[in-house]
Amino acid sequence: MNIITKLALAAGFATALSSGAMAQDISGKVIGFSQIGSESGWRAAETSVTRQQAEERGVDLKFADAQQKQENQIKAIRGFIAQGVDAILVAPVVATGWEDVLSEAKEAEIPVVLLDRGIDAPEDLYLTSVASDQVLEGRVAGQWLVDEVAGEDCNVVELQGTVGSSPAINRKQGFEEAIAGASNVTIAQSQTGDFTRSKGKEVMEAFLKSSNGGADICAVYAHNDDMAVGAIQAIKDAGLAPGEDILVVSIDAVPDIFTAIAAGEANATVELTPNMAGPAFDALGAYWADGTMPEKFIITESKLYTAADDPQGEYERRKDLGY
Ligand code: AHR
């Protein structure tokens, strides 16, 4: 069974594949993919799934790893334009600074599809954006916490994603919206962990030190699971029980967070499908077939998982999907 079939079988991924049955033939197309890097398990899965989707559809995928740097992405996109690719996929590391290079792609009549992150630029510079509703993700995480603490005072420490990236901005906003009506839940400290496990651990260690060894912290909200996994290690190293002494809520639904939930060391995660490429290729296929303009924003599902949702089973379903 290939990665995509397994993804389709994993309950939460079904919607992202909904248009697969109608997919147009795009074999032979050359498509450039400017990927951010490999900062997280989720990112690794998105890369694997994109490669797999391209292979299945007979697409010649030109892959460029930007190693977290926007300048590398801009260089890669210019390279794709120079090569005359048929389309460009880009997962933009930060939200700003894209107008010039995307205008160049537009001038060259190369359609651009944004994957998993948004940008602050005129919408006519890209064909469509395949991403989750990141504000909703933050709201779902925040609402889970508000419900969980049920009126008890709760000091939250927040591990933000990459500074200036759309998920960091939007997941923060959504969480703040969710806790706005709950005066018992407050964000005590907030800092970037850059979406990585190592930074998540490092920042959590600092939070614990400045919060009475962790005694003043009720919960950690991490903008992705990798930072949460790093934070869990820091909490354990401090002699506390993650998931009990300090609640842990995050976003992505990667296999490792389900292992932590099954062990009682994490409490909740919001799923982000790594299959952004499937809907992107479908949109491009329809566009090339008869000029069909896709929705400007193709939104993937944001499902909450907790210990009540068979975390061991969710781990098993995801463990071979390229995370
Ligand atoms: O843009 C999506 C985010 O980027 C994922 O939540 C995170 O794990 C990744 O690094």
Side-chain angles (χ1 to χ4, degrees), residues 204-221:
M204 190 67 202
E205 283 164 356
F207 285 159
L208 289 160
K209 267 192 203 129
S210 58
S211 308
N212 198 12
D216 298 340
I217 300 174
C218 148
V220 53
Y221 165 47

Side-chain angles (χ1 to χ4, degrees), residues 36 39-43 68 92 115-117 132 134 137 162 165-167 171 194-196 223-226 251-252 254 272:
I36 291 171
E39 73 280 4
S40 65
W42 185 89
R43 183 68 53 199
Q68 318 295 323
L115 298 189
D116 78 83
R117 295 190 182 180
S132 56
Q134 297 161 345
E137 291 170 334
T162 300
S165 68
S166 70
R171 289 172 183 172
D194 211 12
F195 281 130
T196 69
H223 290 190
N224 81 345
D225 288 344
D226 276 71
I251 293 162
D252 274 357
V254 304
L272 176 67

